Amino acid sequence: MGRKKIIAGNWKMNMTPSEAVKLAETLKPLVNNEKADVVFGVPAIDIVPVAEAVRGTNIELAAQNMYFEEKGAYTGEISPLMLADAGVRYVILGHSERREYFKETNADINKKVLCALAHGLTPIMCCGESLEQREMGVTMDFIRQQIKEGLCEVTAEQAKGMVIAYEPIWAIGTGKTATSEQAEEVCRAIRECICEIYDADTAEAIRIQYGGSVNAGNAAELFAMPDIDGGLVGGASLKEDFGKIVFSA
Ligand code: PGA
């Protein structure tokens, strides 16, 4: 059996709770594709009302971040227990915006990945190179380090259920999508890296998304590539176009 595609919207820091519920109501009838897993990655404050709005549908929720402790004196943070209790299934970890603006390191992300897995949440672990790195020819060296450090102490069984999102930083929010060949090349290399860390079964099972200016026009071609198992979609996930993207899978 092949891998089921997974199309996740990353709403980033957009949508107040009332706007989020409206958007979820608008998208609900447009994303009912049983052939793909459909995920809304919503801001933490929107999780509870959006969970209510999408109850009984095929839509699953993702958080955009999470702390690696269950509870305690960590002012401002959100714990895996809170996410799981609110009905969240996935958590986006190590997005390039969190790495850049909030100085998250591979080691921080690894702690979050391990903690999410321990609480039954599925990490969507992000990786991706900058334009400078691509031009210097160190794309795969950099990504392999992100993957290896991010997956430190994650077992093969756990890795099989995970999602990795390959998001070249130069393609995020820029309208400059990687070509399907460029995206496939890196996604395939990520799968080879997983095979090296674990084994062929794990590499075959793990799902690898592409993200970075995915839209209704380019999604089908990207998702048709053999090692691209769906997308992590920013800007276009806030529009009705997201329905078209979900049905490109
Ligand atoms: P974008 O963002 O689709 O707006 O480029 C993707 C992401 O950052 O996940």
Side-chain angles (χ1 to χ4, degrees), residues 10 12 95 167 171-173 212-214 232-235:
N10 175 8
K12 307 194 180 184
H95 190 279
E167 298 202 304
I172 295 177
S213 300
V214 174
L232 183 56
V233 185

Side-chain angles (χ1 to χ4, degrees), residues 1 14-15 86 200:
M1 244 206 31
N14 295 292
M15 301 291 137

